[in-house]
């Protein structure tokens, strides 16, 4: 038995959506919940001291009814160990299926990784490259531009993606196949706008939510939890839409500044001092005070499990855009709903990243590359439609946005499955 099994969690969400849609058939429920394939591989690596070390890697391919599997590769060592990691990648691959369906991109869900923490274990560059290429070799038969397209995730970067692409190309007759993987550096066929994708996507979602609630973004106050890639760019783009950032935080603490501060000034300050804490004119506050500050838009953009039932009771925002994965505990959802706060769930709010990954793959397949604005505009179309479709379903079924996004996704995957049927 796995404690706090993430895959059981993912399965429950699928079953809940099936309940709302009215799918009672046990076979279809299982079909939607279970991954199509989970590959577990042994990766022998010659370490710098000459000894051989065996690593364990995974690739879970959840569903490809709408298109090739898509999802990250993480190098991580969750507390529950290797067995927990297997369940975790299964769950994450399931969430990728739903995420791609919500924004209506023709891709399915996958996820994978290696049980290793390259930061704490201090692997050398050579060891890391041998490990990455060894893993790429082991999964090479099941990935490909029309099969399964991995991307970076926790503790992996464009460098590892390039090594996987190169290994795959050399194993396949030395062909150039940039479309086998996304999140590549620009010089290797990466896409413009990838670096801002998640924050920009979250800002587009907030804009749509504000329209739905008739909130004027030009006078809106925004609080950012975290000040990394996702939250910083969400702040920058909301600022461009006229809003004011009045709070921010990072691993060193949280601050509020009544009058608001330009995000680029905060970035400069953090760059110089290592934290947003101490920013001139700001007041240092607790995490709880930051999250429950009076504002229009709260962007939890750092960690999971931040909004507990207790915090939910004291929330004073109108919109929550979950740029981070899983920032709200299930116990908080009913309280938030009762307070009529509109939650843009993670699966939609942070889907800008996978949208632009999709656009990177399209550009690779065409061999023709778009400008920053062209990429951003295409992402805007997908994510805006995803929000509107989910919002309409939430009204139709009288359910919250978290349930509505799952219903939307499950309906879309089911529609593709019904078209294809089962063969062989
Ligand atoms: P990041 O490493 O760039 O930034 C994380 C930020 O969180 C940092 O500013 C860090 O100081 C801050 N932080 C850490 N501990 C904190 C604490 N206790 N309190 C407040 N802040 C704290 O990471 P990121 O890429 O921005 O990812 C953040 C979240 O967004 C994660 O949940 C990630 O899974 C999710 N996400 C990111 C992307 C993306 O493309 N960047 C895509 C999808 C989802």
């Amino acid at each position: 038995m796995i404690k706090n099994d993430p895959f059981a969690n993912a399965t429950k969400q699928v079953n809940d959506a099936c309940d709302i849609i009215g799918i009672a058939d046990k076979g279809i429920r299982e079909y939607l919940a279970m991954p199509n394939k989970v590959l577990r591989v042994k990766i022998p690596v010659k370490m710098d001291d000459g000894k051989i070390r065996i690593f364990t890697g995974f690739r879970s391919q959840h569903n490809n009814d709408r298109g090739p599997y898509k999802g990250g590769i993480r190098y991580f060592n969750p507390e529950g160990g290797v067995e927990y990691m297997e369940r975790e990648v299964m769950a994450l691959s399931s969430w990728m299926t739903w995420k791609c369906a919500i924004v209506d991109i023709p891709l399915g869900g996958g996820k994978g990784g290696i049980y290793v923490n390259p930061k704490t274990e201090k692997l050398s560059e050579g060891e890391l490259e041998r490990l990455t290429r060894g893993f790429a070799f082991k999964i090479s038969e099941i990935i490909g531009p029309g099969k399964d397209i991995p991307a970076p995730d926790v503790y992996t970067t464009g460098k590892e993606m390039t090594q996987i692409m190169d290994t795959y190309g050399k194993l396949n007759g030395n062909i150039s196949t940039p479309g086998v993987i996304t999140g590549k550096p620009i010089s290797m066929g990466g896409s413009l706008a990838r670096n801002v994708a998640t924050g920009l996507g979250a800002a587009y979602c907030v804009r749509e939510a504000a329209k739905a609630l008739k909130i004027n973004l030009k006078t809106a106050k925004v609080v950012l939890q975290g000040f990394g890639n996702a939250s910083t760019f969400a702040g920058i783009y909301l600022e461009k839409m006229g809003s004011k950032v009045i709070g921010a935080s990072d691993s060193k603490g949280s601050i509020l500044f009544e009058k608001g501060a330009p995000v680029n000034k905060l970035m400069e300050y953090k760059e110089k001092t290592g934290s947003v804490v101490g920013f001139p004119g700001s007041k240092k506050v607790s995490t709880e005070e930051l999250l429950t500050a009076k504002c229009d838009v709260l962007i939890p953009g750092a960690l999971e499990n931040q909004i507990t039932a207790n915090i939910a009771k004291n929330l004073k925002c109108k919109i929550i855009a979950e740029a981070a994965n899983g920032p709200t505990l299930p116990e908080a959802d009913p309280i938030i709903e009762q307070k009529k706060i509109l939650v843009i769930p993670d699966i939609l709010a942070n889907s800008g990243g996978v949208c632009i990954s999709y656009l990177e793959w399209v550009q690779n397949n065409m061999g023709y590359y778009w400008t920053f604005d062209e990429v951003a505009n295409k992402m805007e179309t997908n994510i805006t439609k995803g929000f509107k479709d989910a919002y309409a379903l939430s009204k139709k079924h009288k359910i919250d946005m978290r349930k509505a996004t799952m219903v939307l996704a499950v309906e879309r995957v089911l529609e593709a499955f019904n078209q294809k049927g089962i063969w062989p």
Side-chain angles (χ1 to χ4, degrees), residues 99 194 198 225-231 249-251 270 301-303 323-325 350:
K99 193 182 269 201
R194 177 63 192 87
T198 303
Q225 187 192 28
F227 206 67
N229 176 274
S231 38
S249 70
D250 56 33
S251 56
K270 185 172 163 80
L303 306 168
N325 280 316
N350 66 33

Side-chain angles (χ1 to χ4, degrees), residues 88-346:
E88 190 174 53
V89 294
M90 285 164 68
L92 290 162
S93 67
S94 169
W95 288 320
M96 284 307 296
T97 299
W98 316 124
K99 193 182 269 201
C100 292
I102 291 161
V103 285
D104 211 3
I105 54 178
L107 296 171
K111 201 79 170 194
I114 304 174
Y115 186 81
V116 64
N117 187 326
K119 298 271 180 271
T120 54
E121 297 197 30
K122 299 196 169 48
L123 295 187
S124 72
E125 220 173 279
E127 288 170 336
L128 207 51
E129 176 166 354
R130 292 194 288 282
L131 176 61
T132 300
R133 287 186 183 271
F135 178 61
F137 168 63
K138 289 289 173 104
I139 63 165
S140 62
E141 280 172 21
I142 64 161
I143 62 170
K147 277 193 197 174
D148 182 348
I149 309 135
D153 202 84
V154 179
Y155 294 153
T156 54
T157 64
K159 189 170 181 179
E160 285 76 32
M161 300 307 110
T162 304
Q163 290 165 355
I164 293 173
M165 176 188 80
D166 187 60
T167 308
Y168 179 87
K170 284 177 178 155
L171 284 170
N172 285 281
N174 222 4
I175 44 164
S176 162
T177 49
V180 69
I181 204 151
T182 63
K184 301 177 294 291
I186 302 287
S187 58
M188 288 286 112
S191 179
L192 294 174
R194 177 63 192 87
N195 61 328
V196 305
T198 303
L200 177 58
Y204 287 142
C205 285
V206 169
R207 186 190 64 194
E208 295 310 307
K211 273 190 217 159
L213 298 183
K214 301 197 171 31
I215 293 171
N216 182 0
L217 269 191
K218 295 223 153 47
T219 54
K221 292 179 176 169
V222 178
V223 167
L224 307 171
Q225 187 192 28
F227 206 67
N229 176 274
S231 38
T232 311
F233 285 109
I236 285 183
Y237 285 103
L238 284 171
E239 204 173 60
K240 282 189 203 286
M241 294 173 193
S243 306
K244 202 185 273 182
V245 172
I246 60 143
S249 70
D250 56 33
S251 56
K252 309 248 169 64
S254 307
I255 53 167
L256 285 174
F257 25 94
E258 281 288 299
K259 291 195 184 123
V263 181
N264 65 346
K265 293 275 173 248
L266 272 168
M267 285 167 84
E268 274 168 28
Y269 186 81
K270 185 172 163 80
E271 183 115 353
K272 241 191 282 160
T273 66
S275 173
V276 291
V277 176
F279 184 75
S282 70
K283 180 172 85 171
K284 188 158 193 261
V285 295
S286 66
T287 303
E288 179 160 359
E289 283 171 303
L290 179 91
L291 294 173
T292 59
K294 188 167 173 3
C295 63
D296 299 282
V297 183
L298 172 64
I299 307 217
L303 306 168
E304 60 223 17
N305 302 338
Q306 295 300 293
I307 304 179
T308 59
N310 263 338
I311 294 213
K313 278 182 212 145
N314 296 317
L315 286 171
K316 292 180 213 56
C317 57
K318 295 173 187 148
I319 295 169
I320 298 176
E322 295 181 341
N325 280 316
T328 308
L329 285 161
E331 62 186 33
D333 273 335
I335 304 168
I336 296 174
E337 197 184 357
Q338 215 176 22
K339 296 183 84 157
K340 298 203 175 354
I341 296 170
L342 198 160
V343 175
I344 307 162
D346 48 6

